[in-house]
Each structure stands twice: as C-alpha cells, then as structure tokens.
Amino acid sequence: MGMNKILPYERTGDSESNITLVFLHGSTMSKGGLSPFASVFTGYNCIVFDLAGHGESDGQEPDSISCFAEDVEYSVSQLKEQGIVKGKVILLGYSMGGAITCEIAIRNNLSLGGIVLLSSGGDLNSYTPLVDGLKPMPVEEFKTEDILDALFGIDTPEADKERIKELFSSTKSADATGYADLMLSNGYNNLEACKSIKIPALMVHGSDDKIVEPMAAVETWKAIEGSQLLMVPYKGHGAIYEDTEFIKDKIISFIKMCS
C-alpha cells in the first residue's frame, strides 16, 4: 500500500506554465540528483519528487514498482488539488523512475499528456546484467560509488565523469536503499502491458548504456504504438547529464507534440 502522504518535492521552472513536468529519479538517487536536469526546462512548471524512502521522504522503501507508482499518483493528485500541478502533466522517469513512469501509464489512474523514459524501459529484468552481477553480494557490502564508473559510454571526457560522479555521490540515498532499488528494478518486467499505453511516449537512451542496455528502450518503443525513440550515440546511462542540451531540445519538441 502507498503511504498517502505527499512525497517531498522541489519545484523549478515557470510555475505559471500550463504544462507540468514531473520528474522521477532512479535507483540509489534522491531528487537532488535529477534536479540539475529538471532545471534546464525553464519554460515549464517542473516538479522533482523524492521517492518513498529516499532523500527527505521518511517512508519505507516500497516492495514493488507499483507501490512507488501509487505514491506518485497520490502526490500528483494532491498537488493538482492545491494548484501546484496544473494543466497537462507529462511524467519523465530516469532509470528506476522510468519503470515507475511506465507503471503509472499502464495503471492509467492519472490523466497524463505523455511520458518520457530516460535510460529505462518497461522490462528492466532482461536488460540489466550489471545488477544481475550484484545479486550474490551481501547488501552491507554494496557501495553506490563502486558502480558509478558504469554510468559512462566510450567517449565521456574525464571532466564530465568527475562532475557526474560527484553529483551522484553527493545526492545519493543510503547504500542499503540503493541496493534495494537495484534489486526491485531488476525484477520489473511489464513489457506486455506497455501495449495498452495509448498516450504519447518517448524513450531516450544512450547507445552505450551498460546499466540498462539499449534494447530495453527498443523493446518498449516497439510495444507502445506510435512512440518515439531517441538513441544518443556513444553515451551511457548518464546520457542526460552529458548531452543535456541536445536531449532537452528533443524532449521539448516531444512536449510540443503532446500539447
């Protein structure tokens, strides 16, 4: 069950916009890790949530992607009533947040203008070999910092690597929470149900992603009729932090199509 409490959030951009972008962070993260990306969408009303059990959210780590989804649905509905979320709502989910975004679209309890999956997909079970490799590890041995080098593709400059690793390290959730996130995400496969999604959808993925393999995006794109796929050459799981301007422009084009 969800916690029926509004998730902590940060609001950026134009609060008067009639389009609200709701951002959901990934495994090991908190809203602080996704805020720099959200902050480039200055023309929209942007909300970045701390998922349950992460960052400032004092809830328990949910035991399923659909419990995470329920918390987001409740929070968005409440913020709509308060006039903080307004107009057309587009969900943007990064990594685990993309699975939650998928699940919300499948559940169809929220009225959404569209969804954007960032380095994610409707099946994270088949395309996350790095996480498969972590399963034998006792949870107390897991350190988020140990997997951060896997964020990058083959041509990421060292300066970008250091900047992005510092962002992830300084805004991460507790290591035990991060481990639980990775295991939960790795168990998620609702690809077949993605065929029921009838709203505009965009997959954005690095072609050299080692954490969530590119086929996760391709298979989801195939499953959602009329959806779009943006494959970013040579970039890894951290594509949105490297090619931010390019990706932002493509997402804005998509948002305009949803309007």
Side-chain angles (χ1 to χ4, degrees):
M1 284 299 292
M3 57 185 191
N4 286 351
K5 192 158 59 169
I6 295 176
L7 294 164
Y9 65 91
E10 184 178 320
R11 191 182 194 186
T12 64
D14 179 5
S15 60
E16 298 304 307
S17 172
N18 65 350
I19 296 176
T20 300
L21 308 183
V22 175
F23 292 82
L24 306 180
H25 65 73
S27 297
T28 79
M29 296 173 71
S30 70
K31 65 182 185 301
L34 202 50
S35 290
F37 183 67
S39 71
V40 302
F41 292 89
T42 51
Y44 301 98
N45 180 36
C46 298
I47 304 288
V48 191
F49 282 121
D50 264 336
L51 296 170
H54 297 70
E56 294 173 11
S57 176
D58 54 7
Q60 289 289 105
E61 165 93 11
D63 59 5
S64 70
I65 292 294
S66 93
C67 284
F68 273 117
E70 195 178 319
D71 289 336
V72 173
E73 289 166 355
Y74 177 82
S75 299
V76 170
S77 302
Q78 292 296 305
L79 292 178
K80 263 188 176 175
E81 286 184 19
Q82 296 176 19
I84 291 164
V85 165
K86 56 179 100 173
K88 195 179 289 285
V89 177
I90 294 173
L91 273 187
L92 300 94
Y94 175 63
S95 199
M96 178 176 78
I100 298 165
T101 297
C102 238
E103 192 63 17
I104 292 168
I106 290 164
R107 288 159 60 99
N108 202 24
N109 295 329
L110 280 182
S111 176
L112 296 174
I115 59 171
V116 180
L117 305 189
L118 305 163
S119 306
S120 191
D123 173 10
L124 297 186
N125 180 246
S126 307
Y127 302 107
T128 49
L130 181 136
V131 182
D132 291 334
L134 294 173
K135 286 178 179 173
M137 176 188 281
V139 60
E140 55 275 8
E141 286 181 20
F142 175 77
K143 297 281 179 287
T144 298
E145 280 79 3
D146 293 344
I147 64 166
L148 294 183
D149 279 321
L151 284 166
F152 308 110
I154 54 177
D155 71 347
T156 306
E158 282 306 315
D160 277 356
K161 287 185 181 178
E162 290 312 310
R163 171 178 61 83
I164 295 163
K165 289 200 295 191
E166 169 57 28
L167 173 67
F168 272 73
S169 294
S170 61
T171 59
K172 72 183 181 72
S173 287
D175 289 327
T177 303
Y179 184 88
D181 288 344
L182 291 165
M183 296 305 142
L184 200 60
S185 305
N186 176 264
Y188 183 73
N189 179 1
N190 216 354
L191 191 61
E192 191 60 32
C194 286
K195 293 175 182 173
S196 70
I197 296 173
K198 301 301 180 199
I199 55 174
L202 168 66
M203 316 321 132
V204 178
H205 218 97
S207 70
D208 200 26
D209 193 329
K210 298 178 187 72
I211 294 179
V212 177
E213 293 177 332
M215 278 307 290
V218 173
E219 292 295 341
T220 311
W221 167 65
K222 285 185 190 168
I224 304 175
E225 191 178 342
S227 64
Q228 299 179 35
L229 175 64
L230 173 64
M231 197 61 72
V232 187
Y234 309 116
K235 296 304 175 194
H237 199 62
I240 61 169
Y241 300 98
E242 293 187 59
D243 276 1
T244 306
E245 284 300 308
F246 170 70
I247 291 170
K248 177 196 78 170
D249 290 346
K250 298 297 184 190
I251 290 175
I252 288 174
S253 298
F254 170 76
I255 293 167
K256 287 177 176 165
M257 191 203 77
C258 298
S259 305

